[in-house]
Amino acid sequence: MLQDVSKLDLSLTLFGQRIEMPILVAPTGGQGQAHPDGELAMARAAGAAKTIMVVSSNSSYPIKKIGEAATARYGFSSIPVRISRGRASMWRPP
């Protein structure tokens, strides 16, 4: 028997925010090299698609500026972890 798939609902709730599809924008640093707006435009696009953007720690803009450009309520930041002598620690930029 065939199933009607003309009206699928892929939405879900993640950390209290409804997103329209189970796809997040992956952390991609240096987007400013491809376009002057770089991550600022990507943050606006993620909001328009009603999904979440993960901001790279190597982005072209400070996370505060990306947050100001974002139209979505939530976002995530990719924080590299350094493992030294069996212990993990968060990397902090200089």
Side-chain angles (χ1 to χ4, degrees):
M1 174 173 267
L2 296 175
Q3 187 73 11
D4 180 14
V5 294
S6 63
K7 297 177 183 171
L8 292 177
D9 181 11
L10 299 176
S11 66
L12 62 112
T13 302
L14 185 63
F15 301 114
Q17 180 183 358
R18 179 182 165 94
I19 59 175
E20 294 301 316
M21 58 184 159
I23 299 171
L24 305 179
V25 177
T28 308
Q31 293 180 31
Q33 295 174 356
H35 189 276
D37 287 344
E39 291 86 357
L40 305 179
M42 186 61 73
R44 290 189 295 267
K50 297 183 181 171
T51 194
I52 296 172
M53 175 184 178
V54 181
V55 178
S56 171
S57 60
N58 193 30
S59 62
S60 303
Y61 292 94
I63 194 166
K64 182 177 180 181
K65 191 164 186 172
I66 297 169
E68 291 169 354
T71 56
R73 184 173 164 203
Y74 291 101
F76 298 92
S77 178
S78 165
I79 301 173
V81 174
R82 177 185 56 191
I83 298 177
S84 174
R85 297 182 191 172
R87 296 174 57 200
S89 63
M90 289 179 36
W91 176 82
R92 290 181 178 83

